[in-house]
Amino acid sequence: MSDLFEASGIHPPDAPLADRLRPATLEDVVGQDHLLGDGGPIRRMIEAGRLGSMILWGPPGTGKTTIARLLAKAAGYEYQAISAVFSGVADLKKAFEAARMLRAAGQSTLLFVDEIHRFNRAQQDGFLPFVEAGVVTLVGATTENPSFELNGALLSRSQVYVLKRLDDAALDQLLRRAEAHMGRDLPLTDEARQAMLALADGDGRYLLTMSEVLFDLPEGQALDIQGLAGVLQRRAPAYDKSREEHYNLISALHKSVRGSDPDAALYWLARMLNGGEDPLYLARRIVRMAVEDIGEADPLSILVANAAKDTYDFLGSPEGELALAQAVVHLATAPKSVGVYEAFKAAKRAAHETGSLMPPAHIRNAPTKLMKSLGYGKGYQYDPDTPEGFSGANFFPDEMERRAFYKPKGEGLWARIKEFLSNLFYEGENMLVINPSECIDCGVCEP
């Protein structure tokens, strides 16, 4: 019986408030005007009178199921709905056979597949012939990134539309509809009402579920924020450590540090900690930021990052989290340089290209008389004993031209490093290397 109610859009009076308030037309859907409003791609489909297969990708409670049902209604398609959580191959076969029979009778079918990413690759492949033949118009719903979770063949036959999390204006519109439906206002102060919108975290269904709890309270004084917290259980932030949100937030943290924005970096650090992220994972990423994005521009950063990791290891949460915050601020405000990172990548490429070239004889190890007789170590100069502390010897293989991998630009400590290298390789206009004619213009020195 519930399936009949869902298909018709009519719900019994004891149904959850979120179901009773499901929109009756696409115009009633809130927060997705970029898809359903004038000029939106789904709106254009409806106006053209022909639906194409699509994937609706968005967070929970943004209207994916509702949009699918209303699309079928607006286009005059038969609506079938299955969930990948509860359905298997047998259910798919039944749905496809029913759609085939309707097709033969001239009736098109919209097949809505909730949580479509939960079908495995072979099951997803099973959709292809029926989509290609026009037996069904597929509308899949997913909270996961389709690029990672859906077959490329299925994606190539569907349009992917991104649903936005509901903003405060859209959520407040849902609250006003709920109040009109119930015939009374929610018992909340203005501040508590705003706090409730924040608790919903863009999820319209969750907002209406909380509203239903409040409507069940006996009428009385309006609840303030503390009163609201006493009635409702705060939901954990929308964050899954193994899913795309995890990678989005760690990317935001890393790029905020790289972009020298300590305030944004602290915000994303707090978001991840609030979401239950392993602080030691964050500590490892902070160490990576120090070596990848700062390097020799501020060598102290690697010590700060490692010290933060050790401090958290010693103190644990919540006290140790402050050490992570301190490291994040230090790294965000430190001068940035990818010089060592880029130099090491270039050196690895060169090592791969040149294979097993031997070091020049003068810097080979010579622990035996035979090795010395072969010239190992001959002519080696001990650099600290030279007047300048620099011999100018060639340390690359004899068969390999000198290459410049490390090219300091002058950020932070690099200014001193650049001056140091310039003084070593040049004296006025004269190169201080064994064979100046083989030196290339590497950009490090400025004659």
Side-chain angles (χ1 to χ4, degrees):
M1 182 64 71
S2 61
D3 290 341
L4 294 176
F5 281 123
E6 171 63 24
S8 64
I10 301 172
H11 301 278
D14 58 348
L17 182 60
D19 285 340
R20 283 179 276 156
L21 289 179
R22 279 191 186 274
T25 67
L26 286 167
E27 287 73 16
D28 295 332
V29 176
V30 300
Q32 310 303 336
D33 288 346
H34 63 295
L35 300 177
L36 303 175
D38 291 340
I42 296 180
R43 170 63 60 187
R44 291 198 302 269
M45 267 191 208
I46 296 169
E47 291 172 350
R50 177 175 172 77
L51 300 181
S53 292
M54 67 186 77
I55 304 297
L56 301 178
W57 172 29
T62 51
K64 296 183 290 294
T65 304
T66 295
I67 289 174
R69 175 176 57 81
L70 296 177
L71 275 175
K73 178 180 177 182
Y77 283 34
E78 181 70 17
Y79 177 72
Q80 287 196 64
I82 61 174
S83 170
V85 177
F86 302 110
S87 303
V89 174
D91 301 289
L92 288 174
K93 287 182 176 178
K94 289 179 183 177
F96 291 141
E97 185 57 32
R100 195 196 307 274
M101 294 175 64
L102 288 170
R103 175 78 171 172
Q107 174 64 52
S108 299
T109 297
L110 185 152
L111 177 62
F112 174 66
V113 183
D114 198 16
E115 303 288 339
I116 191 171
H117 62 275
R118 293 184 180 269
F119 278 133
N120 62 38
R121 300 284 173 168
Q123 290 171 319
Q124 291 178 29
D125 283 340
F127 287 99
L128 299 178
F130 299 97
V131 172
E132 290 176 340
V135 174
V136 296
T137 294
L138 175 66
V139 178
T142 179
T143 55
E144 304 298 331
N145 190 326
S147 300
F148 303 142
E149 303 295 337
L150 299 184
N151 284 0
L154 188 58
L155 285 176
S156 69
R157 292 159 176 80
S158 309
Q159 291 291 326
V160 176
Y161 296 120
V162 181
L163 276 71
K164 299 178 180 178
R165 66 187 297 279
L166 302 186
D167 59 18
D168 283 357
L171 291 172
D172 190 62
Q173 190 174 347
L174 288 181
L175 282 188
R176 286 187 273 109
R177 286 184 187 175
E179 290 169 332
H181 178 80
M182 299 298 294
R184 61 190 180 97
D185 293 340
L186 285 166
L188 298 172
T189 64
D190 291 341
E191 292 79 9
R193 190 181 184 96
Q194 284 301 122
M196 187 169 166
L197 298 182
L199 279 175
D201 195 21
D203 185 335
R205 185 186 303 111
Y206 182 60
L207 178 74
L208 294 176
T209 299
M210 290 190 292
S211 300
E212 196 161 16
V213 174
L214 298 177
F215 281 127
D216 286 340
L217 296 174
E219 295 191 37
Q221 186 175 359
L223 299 173
D224 59 13
I225 293 177
Q226 289 184 337
L228 176 67
V231 173
L232 300 176
Q233 292 291 322
R234 179 187 176 93
R235 187 175 68 164
Y239 178 79
D240 188 330
K241 291 183 285 183
S242 66
R243 302 289 181 165
E244 189 202 8
E245 192 68 13
H246 161 83
Y247 298 105
N248 284 340
L249 266 62
I250 193 61
S251 177
L253 172 60
H254 196 146
K255 290 181 173 67
S256 297
V257 169
R258 183 181 294 156
S260 300
D261 189 335
D263 299 312
L266 286 172
Y267 170 76
W268 294 117
L269 176 68
R271 278 281 302 274
M272 297 191 80
L273 289 170
N274 287 348
E277 183 58 75
D278 178 5
L280 287 178
Y281 166 79
L282 292 169
R284 288 193 294 274
R285 288 298 297 240
I286 290 169
V287 172
R288 175 183 166 184
M289 296 172 201
V291 297
E292 183 176 313
D293 297 302
I294 296 170
E296 284 297 282
D298 178 20
L300 183 62
S301 290
I302 182 69
L303 302 179
V304 171
N306 271 299
K309 181 264 295 181
D310 292 340
T311 302
Y312 182 84
D313 243 349
F314 183 58
L315 293 179
S317 290
E319 294 86 353
E321 294 172 5
L322 184 59
L324 302 182
Q326 181 177 344
V328 161
V329 170
H330 182 96
L331 269 59
T333 55
K336 306 298 186 296
S337 166
V338 293
V340 175
Y341 178 66
E342 295 295 341
F344 187 50
K345 287 197 300 181
K348 288 174 70 175
R349 287 195 299 270
H352 178 74
E353 293 166 4
T354 56
S356 54
L357 295 180
M358 291 292 290
H362 71 97
I363 60 171
R364 295 183 196 175
N365 188 34
T368 69
K369 289 183 179 180
L370 174 62
M371 290 178 172
K372 289 178 181 178
S373 70
L374 294 174
Y376 284 29
K378 184 178 180 180
Y380 173 65
Q381 292 179 278
Y382 185 61
D383 288 70
D385 283 347
T386 62
E388 299 87 2
F390 174 69
S391 67
N394 176 47
F395 297 103
F396 280 91
D398 292 332
E399 303 89 342
M400 178 181 174
E401 290 186 0
R402 177 178 180 81
R403 299 192 191 180
F405 303 126
Y406 184 49
K407 303 177 181 180
K409 299 177 183 177
E411 306 96 324
L413 186 64
W414 268 36
R416 287 163 51 195
I417 296 173
K418 182 174 182 179
E419 181 182 3
F420 172 73
L421 291 179
S422 297
N423 290 337
L424 290 183
F425 282 92
Y426 281 93
E427 185 175 288
E429 295 183 359
N430 298 318
M431 288 285 297
L432 296 177
V433 294
I434 286 179
N435 188 353
S437 65
E438 293 184 358
C439 185
I440 60 173
D441 182 11
C442 66
V444 172
C445 311
E446 295 180 359

